[in-house]
Amino acid sequence: SFTLMALASGQHSNNKPNPLAPIADELGLPRVLLIGDSISIGYTLDVRANLEGIANVHRPATNCGPTLRGLMHLDKWLGDKPWDVIHFNWGLHDLKYIQKDSEPRHNGKLTTVNEGEQMVPIDDYAANLQVLVHKLQSTGAALIWRNTTPVPEGAKGRVVGDSDRYNDRALKIMRHHSIPVDDLYAFAKERAGSIQREANVHYTPQGSKQLADQVTRGIMEALPLNTKIRVQAKASVGLGQEAQAKLPDLLLGPDGTCI
């Protein structure tokens, strides 16, 4: 149900559900799929809460890991029902260093840069991503590429700056296919000191909430027009100025129109 207070606060119960657990669709709402690693797992529940009553937000019941895992399991993750929006990322696992000769490679154990080798070298990453993008495009969904978040100083098994390199290669692919980019890298980097764990690629709970709000904005822009109109109508009918002021920016723009 569409509840203004829940949307305004973004709060959940203290007994948060498992973000990897499947959900039942609310009939009549568009279907959104989040594909990504633990960073996306961290923002799944908050994105779902932000879009409650607006869209059904799903994700695979797993960490989607590197592109290698995507090549193996994407068909299963897509399932047999249509998607309206797919928000996707691979990268942090591709660029990490794992024990040499790990088998299976997509489950390679994280190790130091000096002792290991990159799970998916950048040329292989780009080739894998091309294949995955073609498969995602075949769904007919509106696609959003979420680029890879920063590697901070001191993070084990990853090199500072590799996110930039991998993102640059991914960006060329997305531009070629006219796929919009959710620049979560820039969003996170600007706020790293307050939202990211020290010497760790992961984020605090409040940090993940901020990432979720950014992700939600991109998804809102990609939702079908009739959904945006319905959201604005429900938000506007019978509301005074005080109630209007409580509506989150991720739903309404500064002029009061749906983004």
Side-chain angles (χ1 to χ4, degrees), residues 28-140:
L29 299 185
R31 304 181 76 241
V32 175
L33 179 62
L34 303 178
I35 295 176
D37 52 32
S38 57
I39 305 303
S40 74
I41 294 172
Y43 58 64
T44 291
L45 292 177
D46 287 310
V47 172
R48 188 173 290 155
N50 287 342
L51 293 174
E52 182 180 0
I54 299 169
N56 298 303
V57 179
H58 298 260
R59 69 159 297 112
T62 187
N63 183 322
C64 300
T67 53
L68 297 173
R69 193 171 296 166
L71 293 173
M72 295 170 63
H73 299 295
L74 184 56
D75 285 334
K76 176 183 176 182
W77 299 340
L78 292 174
D80 55 7
K81 294 182 180 179
W83 297 103
D84 293 279
V85 179
I86 300 176
H87 183 279
F88 67 104
N89 166 264
W90 289 275
L92 272 181
H93 284 263
D94 294 85
L95 59 78
K96 77 179 182 182
Y97 283 74
I98 59 172
Q99 292 178 352
K100 294 180 179 179
D101 302 319
S102 293
E103 290 296 338
R105 194 165 185 84
H106 65 273
N107 283 336
K109 186 176 180 181
L110 184 71
T111 189
T112 63
V113 172
N114 290 336
E115 296 176 344
E117 58 188 7
Q118 235 164 2
M119 179 178 282
V120 182
I122 194 165
D123 288 341
D124 294 339
Y125 170 75
N128 293 347
L129 200 53
Q130 281 277 20
V131 174
L132 292 164
V133 165
H134 280 297
K135 188 172 289 292
L136 289 169
Q137 285 184 312
S138 72
T139 67

Side-chain angles (χ1 to χ4, degrees), residues 125-251:
Y125 170 75
N128 293 347
L129 200 53
Q130 281 277 20
V131 174
L132 292 164
V133 165
H134 280 297
K135 188 172 289 292
L136 289 169
Q137 285 184 312
S138 72
T139 67
L143 303 181
I144 304 171
W145 166 249
R146 191 273 283 171
N147 61 9
T148 298
T149 47
V151 174
E153 293 283 353
K156 180 182 177 180
R158 292 179 173 92
V159 174
V160 175
D162 271 356
S163 289
D164 304 75
R165 295 174 54 241
Y166 278 61
N167 280 339
D168 285 346
R169 291 295 293 272
L171 181 58
K172 292 177 181 177
I173 294 170
M174 303 309 151
R175 283 178 172 168
H176 177 75
H177 293 284
S178 300
I179 296 172
V181 176
D182 180 356
D183 191 1
L184 209 62
Y185 172 89
F187 181 89
K189 189 171 185 179
E190 291 170 2
R191 299 160 177 79
S194 61
I195 69 173
Q196 192 168 28
R197 299 184 188 278
E198 185 176 357
N200 193 315
V201 296
H202 298 99
Y203 293 85
T204 65
Q206 183 56 34
S208 289
K209 175 65 173 69
Q210 291 191 42
L211 297 184
D213 290 348
Q214 169 67 11
V215 168
T216 303
R217 293 184 189 97
I219 292 172
M220 279 296 301
E221 291 178 6
L223 287 173
L225 179 59
N226 62 346
T227 298
K228 296 181 184 179
I229 293 171
R230 179 174 54 79
V231 169
Q232 185 168 351
K234 285 191 175 184
S236 299
V237 173
L239 294 181
Q241 289 185 346
E242 183 177 352
Q244 284 278 8
K246 292 181 179 179
L247 289 171
D249 291 339
L250 55 88
L251 291 181

